[in-house]
Amino acid sequence: MRRPDTASLATVSQPFIEDWLSALRRCSAEAEMAGFLERSGLGAIHDQPGARVTLDQIVRLYKIAAVETGDEMTGLWSRPIRHRTLQHLLATVRESGSLPSALHRFSTFWNLLLDDFQFELRTGAAQIDLMLLPQGDDQVQRFGHMLILKLAHGLLSWLAGHEVPVRAVHFAFDRPSFAQDYSVIFPAPVHFDASASGLSFDLAQLSPPQTRSSAEMDAFLARAPRDWIFTSYHEHSQSLRVRAFLFRSDWVGCSLSDTAQALGMSRRTLTRRMEEDGTSFQAIKDALRRDIAIRDLREGRKSIEEISQDVGFSSAANFHRAFRRWTGSTPRSYRSGAERASTV
């Protein structure tokens, strides 16, 4: 059986989605919002300040909320984005003769719908920038900016048939405490406190689009937002390449030297590059242990003691302490919450 890659284990911190949850609360009744969270497996996150949110939970919450709020951007913009909007967007960009043309169609389409922001496409000799410019003094919605820029990148990648390289990502808000979560989403350096949010691409790296059928378009929409948010997680940064190597290896006993040798560099170079990503070898290994444990607890096929051993703890007590530090919850209560969500 084909082993899943590390993207299937990806998690982000609870604060990463808090702007989104706040937007949903504004357009949903209290009982309705509680139902969204329970059905997506996020019902207990407010009792767990260190909670981690999985790819599947993000996808599930989007699917539920987009249908039940009647807004395909789930309250993130001042005007609701009505049902079938994304279908029409795909049909529009699918006819593009080039990826720059697709970006032009994307920006023109959204400029008909958004009031608080407008897209502007800036093309130079070697670079093209997709900028999201404010039209007033409204506060920047961090999750909304992330989602719509990733939609642009996801659509380009779908048209190209591979993850399109991004030169840089800029956000018009201060660097948040959860800045590392953006490396799970974007395959490029992410900069904060910019004058405007946007994506930059090298024109030479924008390959011709593939011909996409109606059936392929329907499949992309059916999986939304999975295929546009999580395009190719493992290639994004040096730290995530380390994580991908550890996941494929005997990672519990794998050392920094082993990893550096496998990646074709010295210990010092690898350490420096991880520091540039704001992390360390031990932090990457601990995050992988955490996400493997979260997956296994949610699947429910292994005992807590087995999971403890699998992720390299000498005792279940040490695992309990580490898991509480990672998530704010005990392994048993985390599993119970996941089981309750799966029955809703």
Side-chain angles (χ1 to χ4, degrees), residues 243-261:
R243 177 180 164 117
F245 168 74
L246 290 173
F247 185 65
R248 296 191 304 267
S249 309
D250 178 16
W251 61 271
V252 173
C254 195
S255 68
L256 174 61
S257 295
D258 296 332
T259 306
Q261 183 178 11

Side-chain angles (χ1 to χ4, degrees), residues 39-331:
R39 290 156 59 193
S40 62
L42 293 168
I45 64 171
H46 294 294
D47 299 326
Q48 303 173 11
R52 304 295 299 181
V53 180
T54 68
L55 178 160
D56 285 341
Q57 288 171 324
I58 289 174
V59 171
R60 196 177 303 125
L61 178 58
Y62 173 87
K63 287 181 176 295
I64 293 168
V67 171
E68 300 198 14
T69 64
D71 181 353
E72 291 191 337
M73 279 290 173
T74 60
L76 293 168
W77 303 98
S78 60
R79 178 189 294 187
I81 306 302
R82 300 301 185 193
H83 179 57
R84 298 175 70 89
T85 296
L86 295 182
Q87 180 179 352
H88 287 290
L89 174 61
L90 254 69
T92 299
V93 301
R94 186 169 62 126
E95 301 303 319
S96 303
S98 68
L99 295 190
S101 173
L103 283 174
H104 174 73
R105 288 171 180 249
F106 179 91
S107 60
T108 301
F109 185 94
W110 281 109
N111 287 347
L112 295 172
L113 299 177
L114 298 180
D115 293 331
D116 32 357
F117 288 85
Q118 291 280 280
F119 277 107
E120 181 177 301
L121 206 57
R122 301 172 182 173
T123 305
Q127 180 175 320
I128 186 167
D129 301 323
L130 180 69
M131 309 300 296
L132 187 61
L133 304 178
Q135 301 300 294
D137 298 325
D138 292 344
Q139 184 176 0
V140 171
Q141 220 289 356
R142 293 176 297 190
F143 195 89
H145 281 216
M146 179 283 297
L147 189 65
I148 202 165
L149 291 181
K150 197 61 185 69
L151 175 59
H153 178 240
L155 288 180
L156 285 191
S157 299
W158 176 70
L159 286 171
H162 61 85
E163 184 173 58
V164 170
V166 179
R167 183 172 186 171
V169 184
H170 298 273
F171 285 115
F173 49 83
D174 293 341
R175 181 183 180 88
S177 60
F178 49 87
Q180 285 191 2
D181 290 334
Y182 289 90
S183 68
V184 178
I185 308 299
F186 289 101
V190 179
H191 306 282
F192 300 94
D193 199 24
S195 58
S197 297
L199 300 174
S200 297
F201 301 93
D202 288 321
L203 285 169
Q205 293 185 307
L206 297 182
S207 58
Q210 297 183 1
T211 300
R212 290 296 189 179
S213 68
S214 296
E216 288 173 315
M217 186 177 77
D218 291 343
F220 185 91
L221 288 167
R223 289 172 57 82
R226 185 182 300 272
D227 289 348
W228 91 63
I229 296 182
F230 301 93
T231 46
S232 184
Y233 166 95
H234 64 283
E235 296 295 335
H236 292 187
S237 67
Q238 186 64 65
S239 61
L240 293 175
R241 284 191 284 271
V242 169
R243 177 180 164 117
F245 168 74
L246 290 173
F247 185 65
R248 296 191 304 267
S249 309
D250 178 16
W251 61 271
V252 173
C254 195
S255 68
L256 174 61
S257 295
D258 296 332
T259 306
Q261 183 178 11
L263 297 179
M265 63 187 75
S266 68
R267 282 173 51 107
R268 179 175 296 180
T269 298
L270 179 57
T271 299
R272 185 184 73 250
R273 292 185 179 177
M274 289 186 292
E275 288 173 350
E276 290 170 355
D277 283 345
T279 190
S280 66
F281 183 74
Q282 190 58 51
I284 294 169
K285 184 179 280 192
D286 284 345
L288 181 59
R289 299 164 95 187
R290 175 200 66 212
D291 291 347
I292 289 173
I294 286 172
R295 177 200 62 188
D296 290 346
L297 286 167
R298 291 180 62 81
E299 289 180 349
R301 291 195 291 264
K302 297 180 181 179
S303 69
I304 292 174
E305 289 72 19
E306 288 175 314
I307 295 170
S308 170
Q309 293 173 6
D310 287 348
V311 297
F313 285 91
S314 57
S315 70
N318 288 339
F319 173 58
H320 276 70
R321 283 192 289 271
F323 195 84
R324 181 180 283 278
R325 185 175 69 251
W326 292 334
T327 68
S329 172
T330 65

Side-chain angles (χ1 to χ4, degrees), residues 14-60:
Q14 186 273 335
F16 181 78
I17 69 166
E18 189 54 44
D19 282 1
W20 184 23
L21 300 185
S22 296
L24 277 174
R25 290 188 193 97
R26 289 192 294 270
C27 63
S28 309
E30 184 176 349
E32 186 180 32
M33 182 66 188
F36 293 168
L37 295 177
E38 285 298 328
R39 290 156 59 193
S40 62
L42 293 168
I45 64 171
H46 294 294
D47 299 326
Q48 303 173 11
R52 304 295 299 181
V53 180
T54 68
L55 178 160
D56 285 341
Q57 288 171 324
I58 289 174
V59 171
R60 196 177 303 125

